[in-house]
Amino acid sequence: MPTKKYIIANWKMNLSLAQTISLAKEFKKEFAGFSRGEIAVCPSALFLTEAAAIFKGSAIKLGAQNASWENKGAYTGEISADMLSDVGCRYVILGHSERRKYLFENYEMIHKKVRAVLEIENLTPIVCIGESIEEKKSDRRDFVLVDQLQQALSGIDVFGEQEIIVAYEPIWAIGTGMAIEPAEAEYAHKIIKLALNDMFGMQVNNKNFRIIYGGSINAQNVKGFTNLENMDGLLVGGASLKAEEFYKIAQTITK
Ligand code: PGA
């Protein structure tokens, strides 16, 4: 069973160029010598090159917050998975609920994006799924999670060492300061694990898939998320904007 934890920082659209450079440098310093888990940072696409130059020679990997489902052509404003790989990205967040909500990303787009990213060697998709507060209140969470997984991943072939990270991010927990109860996250991860078993078989699931949690994780509440079953790491938004706090989170979850 894999024990390596993935701790992914999602800086969203929060930082200027100068702030990105300065925080990237702080991260590099903070994580010098850290080898207990996989650390990735997803800055704005506009500043990936600057961040890549700073992270060079460190263990911090670079990630993007989105990718196009097309690889090339007349798609004004889009950025292809190939281009992301070109500037050194190893991870791409796909189907984040903020994009589903504000950019109207639908199931088909997300499915096509996963396919496009998997075509690029050494690029790992981080596929976000999660229920809304209404879905939670009406006890539809399990169905919603399985449905979103199937819509994103059905019919996808996973070869060799290819990794796919599924990020369970309850929409009501993102940016609200209200993280999920750890036991509830563990239950949701179990549902995801079982659904992936059904879709890909246990062997492929264990080898190629990872399940991480995201939503209002901080240096205090992270303690509750250690030692949970099927908890392969964390996707962190707000608390990743402070190098020291993100480092504490990474340290705690990898203990
Ligand atoms: P948050 O964001 O940690 O600020 O809740 C998580 C995310 O959106 O990935």
Side-chain angles (χ1 to χ4, degrees):
M1 287 295 282
T3 52
K4 184 167 80 165
K5 296 275 194 283
Y6 296 72
I7 310 98
I8 320 278
N10 178 6
W11 289 353
K12 305 192 182 182
M13 199 178 73
N14 280 308
L15 305 172
S16 67
L17 172 59
Q19 289 167 332
T20 300
I21 290 173
S22 141
L23 190 58
K25 284 182 178 163
E26 280 183 54
F27 265 58
K28 187 174 179 177
K29 219 197 263 171
E30 204 70 71
F31 283 96
F34 184 90
S35 59
R36 300 215 309 239
E38 176 87 343
I39 305 294
V41 175
C42 307
S44 156
L46 200 53
F47 308 139
L48 283 168
T49 308
E50 284 80 4
I54 294 164
F55 295 145
K56 206 171 166 203
S58 82
I60 300 173
K61 308 286 189 339
L62 193 65
Q65 301 173 16
N66 177 41
S68 169
W69 62 79
E70 296 289 346
N71 201 33
K72 198 178 167 58
Y75 301 97
T76 303
E78 289 295 280
I79 298 173
S80 73
D82 221 358
M83 293 170 178
L84 295 174
S85 173
D86 244 3
V87 296
C89 285
R90 298 286 299 277
Y91 295 92
V92 190
I93 298 171
L94 297 176
H96 192 285
S97 59
E98 286 153 11
R99 296 194 61 83
R100 293 186 198 241
K101 181 175 173 194
Y102 302 121
L103 282 300
F104 306 106
E105 280 195 9
N106 61 28
Y107 284 155
E108 191 192 349
M109 294 173 186
I110 294 162
H111 181 87
K112 284 177 10 187
K113 286 176 182 215
V114 176
R115 279 192 185 279
V117 167
L118 288 175
E119 268 173 34
I120 309 300
E121 217 182 9
N122 289 326
L123 200 54
T124 297
I126 302 168
V127 184
C128 300
I129 60 170
E131 81 282 1
S132 66
I133 191 70
E134 295 77 25
E135 288 160 345
K136 174 182 152 69
K137 281 186 179 156
S138 56
D139 274 339
R140 295 180 66 235
R141 183 198 38 206
D142 299 3
F143 168 78
V144 168
L145 294 183
V146 174
D147 187 38
Q148 288 183 4
L149 275 178
Q150 284 180 341
Q151 298 280 355
L153 300 172
S154 260
I156 283 189
D157 293 313
V158 186
F159 298 108
E161 303 298 312
Q162 178 71 64
E163 275 178 341
I164 298 180
I165 298 177
V166 173
Y168 170 52
E169 297 210 304
I171 296 169
W172 51 270
I174 297 176
T176 58
M178 216 172 50
I180 197 171
E181 283 301 318
E184 241 189 280
E186 193 171 40
Y187 176 80
H189 282 214
K190 175 114 189 169
I191 298 292
I192 294 167
K193 182 86 181 178
L194 293 175
L196 291 172
N197 272 350
D198 279 348
M199 292 168 72
F200 295 95
M202 206 158 33
Q203 220 177 337
V204 169
N205 189 10
N206 286 341
K207 179 166 164 239
N208 301 77
F209 284 86
R210 305 288 175 264
I211 308 170
I212 66 176
Y213 168 78
S216 291
I217 284 290
N218 59 42
Q220 277 77 48
N221 63 23
V222 64
K223 293 181 198 86
F225 292 82
T226 55
N227 299 319
L228 298 182
E229 246 184 276
N230 302 311
M231 176 63 71
D232 297 315
L234 299 167
L235 180 52
V236 185
S240 74
L241 295 171
K242 293 180 212 120
E244 205 184 319
E245 173 149 25
F246 186 74
Y247 180 72
K248 277 190 198 147
I249 291 170
Q251 248 195 336
T252 307
I253 198 73
T254 54
K255 259 188 194 143

